[in-house]
Structures are given as C-alpha cells and as structure tokens.
Amino acid sequence: MRFLARCALVLRRILHTDAFRREYLAFCTGVPPEAEGEISLTARFQDGSGDALSSGAVRVLRGGQSADHALKGGELRLAQLSRGEELTLILLDAQGAELGRTTVRFSTGAVIDASTDAAGTSFVTLKPDTASVDLVFTLRGDGALACALRL
C-alpha cells in the first residue's frame, strides 16, 4: 500500500506541472505548445471614438530593454518578436506623458484572437503558421489600452 501511495504522489506531482499540461493540451488539440519562430506586429493606436492617434510615441518594454517609437499615421511596426515573448506598450503624448498602457502576451492556438482583460492585460493568440498580426489598441478611460484584431 505504501508503494502505491508513493507512486500516486509522484504521478500527481508530475501531472500537475505547467509543462505537462501544455504537452497534454498539445497532444489533445494537435496544436504545438508554442510554435517556434518570429512574428511581426503592426499596431494601430486610436482614441475611444476610433480616431487614429497620430502624434506622440509608444514606449516598448521588451526583454528588459526599453525603446521609444514615434507613431507614424497612428501605427507602430515591430518585427522579430518571439511567440513566447511578453511586451509592454506605453502610449505617450507629444510631451512624453503616459496616456495608457498594456502588457501583451502571445500564445499559440487553433484560432487567431486578441482581447484585453479588466486589468488591462492583452492576450493575443496566433495559429502556428501565423507570421504577422495586425492589432488595434484603443485608449480606454481608465488608462488601459484595449486590444483587438484589426480587420
């Protein structure tokens, strides 16, 4: 009995890890846990009424690095992003004051989707073969940037 209880404990520890869950879900759905490769992102920034924000900049926090990018026609293009990467986008006005922010988390799934939770975190799901994605970030009244797919 002690042997079986010990085996059950070992299996429980193995089965309750994030790595095992990712592999199990990949097996069940046929989708790799995180497809390797890089993606490019085109982001459009707009106010609550849908008008493009053409002045100012976006500060991108990525892998411990920070870089400011001027908005060109309300858009920002980023290349060579890792699918497992997390980045923070901070919208700045022309004087450099923060208007809004979001943290973008990428994942791989069976469909392409983008959404933002109540805390202002954006979740972008990409198909394994997706090489680029176009997103719209709308400035909310609470200072968050809401993320959606650009259709």
Side-chain angles (χ1 to χ4, degrees), residues 96-126:
E98 181 176 328
L99 297 174
R101 72 169 50 212
T102 188
T103 297
V104 182
R105 295 187 177 143
F106 295 99
S107 63
T108 302
V111 297
I112 298 174
D113 188 30
S115 62
T116 304
D117 67 10
T121 302
S122 297
F123 299 92
V124 179
T125 306
L126 303 171

Side-chain angles (χ1 to χ4, degrees), residues 134-150:
D134 292 339
L135 300 174
V136 176
F137 292 93
T138 304
L139 183 60
R140 297 190 323 202
D142 63 356
L145 292 169
C147 178
L149 288 175
R150 183 172 178 187

Side-chain angles (χ1 to χ4, degrees), residues 28-82:
C28 292
T29 63
V31 176
E34 289 300 326
E36 295 301 321
E38 296 176 340
I39 57 171
S40 61
L41 166 70
T42 301
R44 179 178 195 265
F45 292 86
Q46 63 186 25
D47 61 20
S49 62
D51 295 327
L53 299 170
S54 56
S55 65
V58 176
R59 179 167 295 141
V60 179
L61 306 177
R62 175 181 174 196
Q65 303 290 325
S66 174
D68 289 357
H69 302 271
L71 286 175
K72 296 177 183 166
E75 289 189 352
L76 168 69
R77 288 184 169 76
L78 297 173
Q80 299 177 329
L81 298 173
S82 167

